[in-house]
Amino acid sequence: MANPNVILRRDPNTGAGNLLAFAEWLAQPTLPCHLIDVQLPPALPPTTLRWLALLLREELAGTLYQPGNTQFVIVAPVSNHTTQTMQIERLRALFQRQMQRLYLDTIPVIRCHSIPINSDPATILQYLTPDNADPGALLNRLITQLAALGTTINNQQQFEVDPVSGLPNSLVAHSRLDDLIRIALEQNQPCSILLINGDHLRRYNELSYAAGDQLIRDLAATLREQLRPSDILARWETGDQFLAILPHTGVSGAAALAERLRQRIIERSQLWPFPVTVSIGIASVPQHARDTDTSLRIVTEAVLQAKAAGKNRIVVGHSA
């Protein structure tokens, strides 16, 4: 569930926790865990970084961070040595298969480190630097990355527009939903939200990652053309999820629109490389909730139910 504080701790391109999020994790008392450190070749394009992050999420259990542009770190649960070795080998094999599609010249360097309880942050950072790096070089690198992060956060546009679809992103959607729910309650008018989740992104990614990005753009354009000017459509988090906010619309009106969207995607996608469908969850204020976070939780549960029931369907959420 997105909120502004969480979003500002994510890289806007990959959705991974950024240096700020990683530093906050370092500052907390450390539980026993494993760090899987993926050192990338320099100067990779944003598209490659975005899909690398998606692959890492799919392959590994744990929290994904991107402390710098050329590094991903996964904080993973403790496992035995055999499991660690299998994870590393599985990742190497994955990158080997994906090298051509991701335009990689070399396989990323992958290392795994066992982190004891209450480890010192400086010690953990030493694990994540090359063996020949001196403390001064490490400090310089962190300062440079922190300055770059500050520039990114100051450039608010990067946190307002989704880089793939061109739609408002989760930060904007969350803020507008806050405002519209407040107005709906003040005016005693309904406001509904649709969480729309594509059912076939993996098939497009298997075709090519460029095809996956194009699917996001095609879905966004098809959904947008069916909405009213007063409605808000945003890319929601990562993957092929979208959030539509419908002011002055109750459950029945939202369900009718959701059905129109579902049917339109089926019709339009007959012209795409593969036909696709969408699963849609619905929540409405004040019928189901009276605040943003509860509304988002209800609509997320609804779309998960739609997926579990076989996809390509609409589920109306239940009151908290």
Side-chain angles (χ1 to χ4, degrees), residues 34-76:
H34 286 129
L35 292 189
I36 299 173
D37 176 22
V38 181
Q39 298 279 350
L40 306 169
L44 291 178
T47 301
T48 298
L49 291 169
R50 184 163 62 248
W51 290 111
L52 278 171
L54 179 64
L55 289 171
L56 289 170
R57 285 194 193 90
E58 289 181 344
E59 287 295 320
L60 296 172
T63 304
L64 179 66
Y65 296 99
Q66 188 180 3
N69 192 50
T70 60
Q71 183 179 33
F72 286 109
V73 175
I74 302 96
V75 179

Side-chain angles (χ1 to χ4, degrees), residues 81-271:
H81 179 73
T82 300
T83 301
Q84 289 179 47
T85 302
M86 291 175 60
Q87 287 177 328
I88 300 300
E89 291 307 313
R90 192 169 73 244
L91 276 182
R92 287 201 180 101
L94 172 68
F95 289 137
Q96 182 72 50
R97 294 194 304 271
Q98 299 286 337
M99 281 183 67
Q100 185 174 1
R101 297 175 68 200
L102 291 170
Y103 305 104
L104 293 172
D105 295 325
T106 60
I107 297 176
V109 176
I110 308 167
R111 301 181 298 176
C112 187
H113 313 280
S114 297
I115 307 300
I117 190 170
N118 293 331
S119 294
D120 180 81
T123 302
I124 296 175
L125 288 175
Q126 286 292 338
Y127 286 131
L128 302 178
T129 58
D131 294 337
N132 59 356
D134 61 74
L138 171 60
L139 182 59
N140 286 336
R141 183 168 70 90
L142 289 175
I143 290 173
T144 301
Q145 292 172 354
L146 193 58
L149 175 60
T151 301
T152 300
I153 291 176
N154 287 336
N155 183 4
Q156 190 68 21
Q157 179 74 6
Q158 293 195 45
F159 288 93
E160 294 180 349
V161 178
D162 170 65
V164 178
S165 67
L167 293 173
N169 67 6
S170 299
L171 179 64
V172 175
H174 197 286
S175 176
R176 294 292 290 130
L177 187 56
D178 279 339
D179 292 340
L180 291 172
I181 285 178
R182 175 180 52 79
I183 292 170
L185 294 174
E186 290 174 353
Q187 298 180 351
N188 196 29
Q189 292 285 336
C191 178
S192 294
I193 55 177
L194 308 179
L195 185 58
I196 305 155
N197 197 327
D199 294 327
H200 303 282
L201 179 60
R202 181 183 291 273
R203 191 175 184 188
Y204 275 78
N205 290 344
E206 290 170 352
L207 182 64
S208 75
Y209 292 121
D213 280 355
Q214 187 59 50
L215 173 64
I216 298 300
R217 288 188 282 270
D218 289 340
L219 285 171
T222 304
L223 295 170
R224 178 69 268 178
E225 70 185 14
Q226 298 297 313
L227 299 177
R228 304 166 299 186
S230 59
D231 297 332
I232 295 168
L233 179 67
R235 177 99 181 271
W236 192 246
E237 298 185 348
T238 57
D240 49 351
Q241 286 197 114
F242 300 87
L243 190 79
I245 308 174
L246 316 175
H248 306 291
T249 305
V251 170
S252 60
L257 174 59
E259 178 59 23
R260 189 164 76 243
L261 294 175
R262 190 186 69 82
Q263 291 285 353
R264 186 58 173 160
I265 292 295
I266 292 173
E267 296 165 4
R268 180 64 64 83
S269 69
Q270 301 304 310
L271 303 174

